Amino acid sequence: MQILGIIPARYASSRFPGKPLIDIGGKSMIQRVYEQAKKCGHLTEIIIATDDERIFDHVTAFGGVAVMTSADHQSGTDRCAEVARAHSQYHVIINIQGDEPYIDPEQITKLANCFTSPDVQIATLVKKVKTEQELNNPNTPKVIVNKLSEAAYFSRSPIPHIRGEEPANWLEFYSFFKHIGIYGYRADVLQQITKLPISALEKAESLEQLRWIENGYRIKVAETELETYAVDTPEDLELLK
């Protein structure tokens, strides 16, 4: 099975402009993501997809593979779809977050292994929620997982609601899961989902994966024990020290 890893990297960010190029211990963040992804033996090729020449030039300078993509994409998924259209030999596309400089290659492997089943359309990772802070953080999407190990719903709110119990005690009564934002897609499914109009659920929660569920696509989930740390703001850099 031919698997293409794509790392979307845009320069313009409202919360942290230019963050792919920030220095983390002597290397840029995007170089660290690329090097971590290269450690995964399941990826046939890795491409950084950007809309900015500064990022493109930097990636080629450190020996990475980069392609220029449209500046009009609304999401990393859309950017991945553009690259995938030019690389039709790949069966599966894995969208690797460009703001997780220390992503563990085992997470990429776990996601890639989901596609050994021909029925899997889309796959992602989940991790058990350990703290009340995680459970109530709207920036940490929660996931309801069905008995087929598929995502039934994603929400920024704590779900499910534990009726009759104080919210501070909910972790004692249910195994909550949070979403780890790395995706894999069958190549044809990726093209299909990026043509779907924005859905009502997606607008409500500001989570694009709800568009896919609302349109009947199935999202396989695999559980990981590994944590990830995304850099969304300059303050997030403190977590990496």
Side-chain angles (χ1 to χ4, degrees):
M1 184 167 54
Q2 299 290 301
I3 302 179
L4 173 62
I6 302 178
I7 307 170
R10 56 192 290 268
Y11 191 92
S13 168
S14 58
R15 291 188 289 178
F16 199 167
K19 69 178 181 178
L21 300 180
I22 61 170
D23 183 88
I24 299 176
K27 294 181 180 180
S28 68
M29 178 161 67
I30 194 63
Q31 182 175 353
R32 289 199 174 277
V33 176
Y34 185 84
E35 290 178 351
Q36 288 299 101
K38 289 282 285 185
K39 295 175 184 178
C40 177
H42 287 70
L43 299 180
T44 310
E45 184 179 5
I46 302 168
I47 295 174
I48 294 173
T50 187
D51 59 357
D52 190 274
E53 291 185 0
R54 288 164 290 189
I55 296 175
F56 180 91
D57 292 343
H58 173 70
V59 171
T60 55
F62 71 67
V65 179
V67 297
M68 291 293 293
T69 55
S70 170
D72 298 329
H73 293 310
Q74 297 300 307
S75 69
T77 306
D78 295 330
R79 202 172 301 283
C80 287
E82 179 185 343
V83 175
R85 284 193 292 274
H87 296 79
S88 59
Q89 70 270 35
Y90 291 102
H91 308 107
V92 172
I93 312 298
I94 293 186
N95 178 353
I96 302 164
Q97 299 298 310
D99 57 6
E100 295 180 1
Y102 297 119
I103 183 171
D104 195 307
E106 288 184 23
Q107 292 188 319
I108 303 173
T109 294
K110 185 175 284 286
L111 189 66
N113 286 338
C114 290
F115 291 92
T116 55
S117 169
D119 295 330
V120 172
Q121 299 176 311
I122 305 169
T124 194
L125 300 181
V126 298
K127 184 178 185 295
K128 282 186 179 178
V129 173
K130 301 292 186 181
T131 67
E132 185 182 353
Q133 181 181 10
E134 280 185 330
L135 185 62
N136 291 287
N137 184 353
N139 294 319
T140 302
K142 272 63 69 176
V143 193
I144 293 290
V145 180
N146 66 23
K147 291 186 177 181
L148 300 176
S149 294
E150 296 174 348
Y153 192 74
F154 295 80
S155 180
R156 297 187 181 277
S157 299
I159 53 172
H161 178 90
I162 307 300
R163 187 175 181 182
E165 298 295 338
E166 291 296 322
N169 301 326
W170 281 5
L171 291 176
E172 300 175 18
F173 295 92
Y174 189 82
S175 293
F176 290 83
F177 288 96
K178 66 177 181 178
H179 183 216
I180 302 297
I182 180 173
Y183 291 107
Y185 330 82
R186 294 282 174 196
D188 58 336
V189 171
L190 174 59
Q191 300 304 322
Q192 294 166 18
I193 62 177
T194 52
K195 295 175 183 176
L196 297 171
I198 294 175
S199 73
L201 289 177
E202 179 183 5
K203 286 182 180 179
E205 297 260 20
S206 190
L207 296 172
E208 66 172 333
Q209 59 267 43
L210 292 177
R211 182 196 321 178
W212 314 335
I213 290 176
E214 198 167 359
N215 282 276
Y217 288 89
R218 303 186 313 278
I219 304 176
K220 187 74 172 179
V221 298
E223 184 179 352
T224 178
E225 291 295 326
L226 300 171
E227 190 58 87
T228 58
Y229 295 99
V231 178
D232 293 317
T233 67
E235 291 73 24
D236 291 334
L237 290 174
E238 296 299 317
L239 296 174
L240 303 179
K241 294 181 179 180

